[in-house]
Amino acid sequence: MNSSKIFGLVLWVSTFALCAPGQWTWQNPLPQGNDLRAVQFLNADTGFIAGDGGSFLKTEDGGATWSLSRVPTGSLIFSMAFKDAQTGVVVTNGSNNDSVPKYGLYRTEDGGKSWRETMAMEANAGTIVQWPGGNTVYVTNDSTIKVSRNGGLDWSPCVSFGYNSGHILSSFWDADRGYFFGPGDSSKSGRKLYRTYDGCAHFDSRSLPDSTGYNFIHFRDARNGIVMGERTSGEILLRTQDSGNTWIEVKPLGDQMWNFQSIQYTDSMTAFGFGGDGSVQKTRDGGATWTPVGVGNGSLVLWGAAFPTERVAYRVGNSGLIEKSLDGSATWQEITHIDLGRFGSQLKDLDFVDAQIGCGAGSILRRNPQREEAIILRTIDGGNHWDTLPQSALPLHSIRFRDASLGLAVGDSGTLLRTTDRGATWVQSNRITTENLISIRFGDNQDVFACAERNSIYRSQDDGKTWHKVYADTGTHFYSMDFRGSGFGIAGGYTGQKAVILRTTDGGNNWRAFPIGRPEKPDTEFPNAVHIGPTGIAYAVDDYDVLYRSTDTGKTWDSLAYLGQTSARSILFLGRDTGFIAGLRAIRMTVDGGMTWVLEQTLTNGLPELEALSFPKGGNGYAIGIFGDILRYDRGTSGIQKLVNASPLPKLILEDGRLRYYLNSRTTISAALFRLDGMVVSRLQGGVQEPGEHSIPLPVLAGVGPLVLEFDFGNLKHTELLTRKR
């Protein structure tokens, strides 16, 4: 069968320019909220931290202030090494939002303000980069050690075993000398310790006691080193003082465990060993004995630590966590600024009274006894600071202001809170129902509508003081609701396992269900978010991130665009052309009415799980995340202008079973076909291609349903949804 008979022309097209179209910045936590995985301090004050989304932070005052930048790929950063305050390298291991992960080593000469790629390489959590001295840098991955003699600009192979050896582990203490673990023999079983004294030109092996697997190595100098491994009876820690000729087992004290992720010396005899659970052990005799000095914290997910002095230490982890110790890691103080408790918080919605005053609503987990309670966050300075307003109520799901004199919030079991002072204080009113309420919206005059998670929509005609049910269907499950003037409202969900949009045009007196989605998949594409724009155009986004539009007050719905991997939770248009979509994986922006969307890249990868958007009149925009994350968007003309002037993608043509395109310059391309659930069906040929016309054959794939084509042209991405011809 010719593949041209399988794939029709484009139904949905979404073009993503991988540059930041606007100015989204973190508001909570600060300085940012991406997971942090690597940390290095040159002294007690100057240090670097890096992590997800290409996040890179630098401080020169011991963490009091931070400068925030980004490595261009938006990839995860697991390892970095700095020679001084300006020059350093990081190794990245791919972007979560890319169909084909991008790997590489990047170098900076200005303290992280700008970066350039110096080597493409495969990387993972076990890849490490070391800068032992001078201009020599080593990078180690599964089966290879590479070396640069000019500070990371050019690279050459140092050691290669030609197959996956279960992570080569290395420790270099100067430009030419180091140790590393590699495979024991050609059968790929066992592990050997190798030594080099001439930058890997030659190396010999060292013997080690039997172990089921060594997973850590650190050498302080040519003679003194430590390795850690596992055996049937538990962890084993070995120490050598004669270059690995003989090894002495370090016996644990009591229930002491050997779980080091790193060892750092502050002088020739004093060192700290850091465990992933946050535990810290200290030695004052070069590693002969170790004493616990910091207790682990199982509630923290920690990735790295730095010990620039015997007293000062730093550690980093998930959700932007940065902690500092001034007593040798006995106690820790969080220096991340966070306005909402780090654990157990969930924010579901936000709305603003004006450009400066706004509130977010959700829940927080309380202990003793353990329970969930409502919480409201409030800002009076455009999001620069947020105050926490705990509420003695059940968790909240939605919040809206009619004006400065009235705001309402709803939540579990019909909970209803009211404010008349721009959100400064909230009073609990009589419950609307016993059902969980997921959305509240103001209509015309004194009308208010509340949507229950199951079955029902409620209406108040006196600003929320009294309520009556205006829609009930025991088979209906709702996800979202929106209202606009002139009595027009919509609610998205499913009934009888079919995706529907409920519509009213008479202020909620009568509701009628209209189908939405594709006929071949009516039972899985439920609308997660609905929105009525200021011009009366209605929008809905389904489970598979397909955007639908209605221009006739919700009677008919047309598929408009495929949004890629967004897991959309909120959609908001500022006018006919400009709109935003936020979800669990991305923020996207359009300036052509939703036909094409640009991916916000600044926070990609580490982007928080976003639930809601708000753009108050005359002010900035805001996005709120389920774990207390808050982002702010500067919607000045510069951001919009960047989007309008984004470089166009090469034109794609589907014909005769091939994908044809023309390149204006030498470009690295990659392409893949996905099912709508994200599973890869086929990766197409790619690589570096010269200027001119090119084509790629499309595979013959029968019975797999609609497919998504993702095509990367250098720093641009093109996504199309392909369907069978009917």
Side-chain angles (χ1 to χ4, degrees), residues 649-650 652 661 663 667-669 711-718:
L649 283 159
L652 295 179
Y661 53 95
L663 299 178
T667 307
T668 300
I669 68 102
F711 205 99
D712 284 299
F713 296 86
N715 69 332
L716 298 175
K717 179 183 289 186
H718 185 82

Side-chain angles (χ1 to χ4, degrees), residues 22 181 209 213 218 280 294 312 333 421 524 610 613 623 628 645 682 707:
F181 279 118
H218 181 86
V280 178
V312 178
Q333 178 69 41
D421 55 7
T524 58
L610 298 173
L613 290 162
N645 294 337
S682 177
L707 294 175

Side-chain angles (χ1 to χ4, degrees), residues 401-416:
F401 288 92
R402 180 191 292 285
D403 49 37
S405 64
L406 178 62
L408 299 174
V410 295
D412 284 357
S413 300
T415 296
L416 174 65

Side-chain angles (χ1 to χ4, degrees), residues 204-224:
D204 57 12
S205 63
R206 308 279 88 187
S207 60
L208 280 167
D210 291 337
S211 169
T212 58
Y214 289 99
N215 51 35
F216 178 81
I217 179 174
H218 181 86
F219 270 77
R220 187 181 82 226
D221 53 36
R223 298 184 60 82
N224 297 281

